[in-house]
Amino acid sequence: MNFDLIAAFTIVLFILYIGDFISTKTKAFVPSVFVAAVLFLLGFWTILPENLIDLACLGQPLATLSMYLLIVHMGTMLNLKELAAQWRTVVISLGGIMGTSLGTLTIGKYLFGWETVVISTPPLTGGIVAALMMQNAAMKKGLVELSVLAIVMYVTQGFFGYPLTAIALKREGKRLLAAFRKGEIKAETATSNAPSDAPQKRSKLQIIPEIPPKYKTTYMYLFKLGIVAWASAMTATAINEVVSRFVICLIFGVITAEIGFLERRPLDLSGSFGFMMTTLMAFIFAGLAKATPNMIVSLVGPLFGIIAIGVTGMALFSMTLGKLLGYSKEMSFACALTALYGFPPNYVLTEEASKALAENPEEFKFLMDSLLPKMLVGGFITVTIGSVILAGIFVNLL
């Protein structure tokens, strides 16, 4: 079968859309990335050409450009003042990542080998950026099979996170409702400090004057993102990449947003976020073209073993920290588990648990106000920030 540019692009987007459709239909129980990965695998094994993503012009160098801009964009989403109000959630969530890493680097290393756990741990604790960073690192080392493991880990982790989170949230919700019904907790004490899409007030750190709205165009947003990404790349080169250039992108994104050079969520404002994410999603699935049926079968043991070890370490660390900081073990574990899926599943799972437990709108609102801020902050810290930093560290461990 012959594929031209438009045909290849259309097929790639159709597969990605099927993943979204099934995920929405199952209320995120079946992850969209899992569906897309299965379809791409079956396609590559049958009728799809191995260079499908390149034919669709969604491969390199566009994927690398997208990753630079997306990571800077992710940095702008970090509002230091709002996160400070949820500092305990931040500590517990990061503790969960630490527990996962220690578990895989000790027990996991003994069972599966150093390279296997180094490449698979960041995707287990985060999203697409961490998976892509480790996939690229594995390819540069000639570890084709392990580069596939990075992708498979990324698309599989949600199946473990969803049921465990649902159980933890329902147990925490029952505890909170019992206290609420007895009058021991008041609804007004549960306030949201989660990151919001609403316009942010200028902070004292914002020393750069704001550009008048009439000059805020798509070109302006992308131009300023390019400046920050360029500065990040030059800084990484100057320090011989002691710190990953993508981690520097994240840090520079945080700093430039805080001082007012970059707007919050500039890719959203420019209308470019969706296309950039599409490019990254397509590119990460391109690695599956190298996966044979035998290779996938050989990865099953390390995949499930590392997930089991990592989640156990996550539970132990997050629950221990949670107890010290005044959180229940269920809430602590739920916050840490957001590393396995991020947003929007963390919202969907919280809403579903609240609906299942609440007997009236007042109780539903109380549960959402109590649980959602912690779940949103947990997902933001683990997937958006923690996993990128972790991948930047682990790349240098290979």
Side-chain angles (χ1 to χ4, degrees), residues 116-136:
T116 300
V117 297
V118 168
I119 290 170
S120 60
T121 299
L124 174 60
T125 64
I128 183 174
V129 173
L132 191 52
M133 289 172 68
M134 299 318 298
Q135 179 194 26
N136 287 339

Side-chain angles (χ1 to χ4, degrees), residues 89-99 317 321 336 378 381-382 385-387:
T89 302
V90 172
V91 172
I92 291 167
S93 301
L94 292 177
I97 291 180
M98 185 181 298
F317 268 65
L321 278 172
I381 286 297
T382 54
I385 306 296
S387 67

Side-chain angles (χ1 to χ4, degrees), residues 210-221 224 263:
E210 189 172 359
I211 295 175
K214 63 181 178 180
Y215 297 117
K216 291 183 177 181
T217 67
T218 296
Y219 299 140
M220 183 217 71
Y221 292 124
K224 292 203 293 183
E263 289 73 17

Side-chain angles (χ1 to χ4, degrees), residues 161-219:
Y162 297 150
L164 289 173
T165 303
I167 293 169
L169 286 177
K170 285 179 180 178
R171 292 186 64 175
E172 174 67 1
K174 288 179 181 178
R175 184 188 70 81
L176 290 172
L177 271 183
F180 178 67
R181 288 165 179 166
K182 293 177 182 177
E184 297 173 0
I185 301 178
K186 301 295 182 183
E188 58 267 24
T189 62
T191 57
S192 173
N193 294 297
S196 171
D197 290 335
Q200 304 288 339
K201 294 181 180 179
R202 289 180 64 84
S203 72
K204 295 178 181 179
L205 296 176
Q206 291 180 291
I207 58 177
I208 297 178
E210 189 172 359
I211 295 175
K214 63 181 178 180
Y215 297 117
K216 291 183 177 181
T217 67
T218 296
Y219 299 140

